[in-house]
Amino acid sequence: KKWKKLSSKTLLTHPRLNVYEDEVELPTGHRTKYLHFGHNGDAAQIIAINNMGEVLIQKEYSYPPNEWLFQLPGGGLKKDENPKTGAQRELIEEANICGSLTQIGWFYVDNRRKTDRFYVFTAKNLKTIDGVKDLEEEFEYSWFSPSQIDTMIKTGKIKNYSILAAWSLFKSQ
């Protein structure tokens, strides 16, 4: 059984985040308030694989945890942008490469609080291309074998949810 939304009010509107409070009726008949972020926008990330079978991993500073974290290239899709088109754009912007993209799946970013999806692609037949960088992003790039990535996950060096979920989709192919 699903919950029934009785009312909704907006608590905060910001270009990167919206906050809503809904009054809902649970299947038991109990009424409660539920805080969520609605739909702020989908994203895509790319597992770029070079001719030697290595995967491009970025290390980027993440402000909230104040750490440099390993991640895959990718980012937010523009409004009404096709996920594959957005993935290619993000790969060019972040890594100055493009390639043949194949979607391997998607997952919810935070299903308890929002409906945003993270689309996952592989990229092969890579070519260097000039891209325009985002001023808020700074990356270090390295190529790793799949077994090296598995070891980085096992040893806790990779702790970003999006690369963990994408790698799970990739390994299940």
Side-chain angles (χ1 to χ4, degrees):
K1 296 180 178 181
K2 295 184 179 184
W3 297 5
K4 180 180 178 184
K5 180 169 41 173
L6 303 173
S7 65
S8 183
K9 67 179 175 178
T10 302
L11 302 179
L12 173 73
T13 300
H14 183 273
R16 293 187 183 242
L17 177 71
N18 297 309
V19 181
Y20 306 97
E21 183 181 66
D22 292 353
E23 183 178 1
V24 296
E25 184 178 298
L26 305 177
T28 61
H30 179 77
R31 290 181 177 201
T32 189
K33 294 188 178 189
Y34 195 86
L35 190 72
H36 66 95
F37 307 130
H39 186 81
N40 292 307
D42 296 331
Q45 65 182 341
I46 306 94
I47 299 172
I49 305 165
N50 68 18
N51 291 337
M52 298 182 348
E54 298 168 318
V55 176
L56 179 65
I57 302 290
Q58 299 172 318
K59 200 169 189 183
E60 181 184 26
Y61 175 73
S62 183
Y63 175 71
N66 194 28
E67 288 185 58
W68 284 81
L69 299 174
F70 289 107
Q71 65 183 29
L72 295 167
L77 301 178
K78 295 178 180 179
K79 186 172 172 59
D80 298 323
E81 184 176 38
N82 175 284
K84 189 173 187 177
T85 302
Q88 191 74 264
R89 177 184 49 73
E90 285 290 335
L91 187 58
I92 293 167
E93 285 177 9
E94 293 193 358
N96 289 334
I97 57 176
C98 65
S100 303
L101 297 180
T102 303
Q103 185 178 334
I104 61 170
W106 65 270
F107 57 90
Y108 285 114
V109 175
D110 178 4
N111 62 287
R112 298 286 295 163
R113 297 289 173 225
K114 52 187 167 180
T115 61
D116 302 0
R117 293 181 180 197
F118 223 133
Y119 294 90
V120 181
F121 293 84
T122 58
K124 296 182 179 179
N125 306 313
L126 305 177
K127 296 175 189 153
T128 302
I129 188 169
D130 287 331
V132 177
K133 302 284 185 204
D134 185 325
L135 295 176
E136 293 181 3
E137 298 177 326
E138 181 181 343
F139 304 109
E140 294 175 5
Y141 302 93
S142 299
W143 293 90
F144 294 96
S145 71
S147 64
Q148 287 175 307
I149 295 170
D150 290 340
T151 299
M152 292 166 72
I153 291 170
K154 287 178 193 173
T155 59
K157 289 182 180 166
I158 292 179
K159 45 194 163 191
N160 181 329
Y161 79 93
S162 63
I163 189 174
L164 294 168
W167 196 246
S168 176
L169 288 170
F170 177 71
K171 295 291 278 195
S172 70
Q173 299 294 304

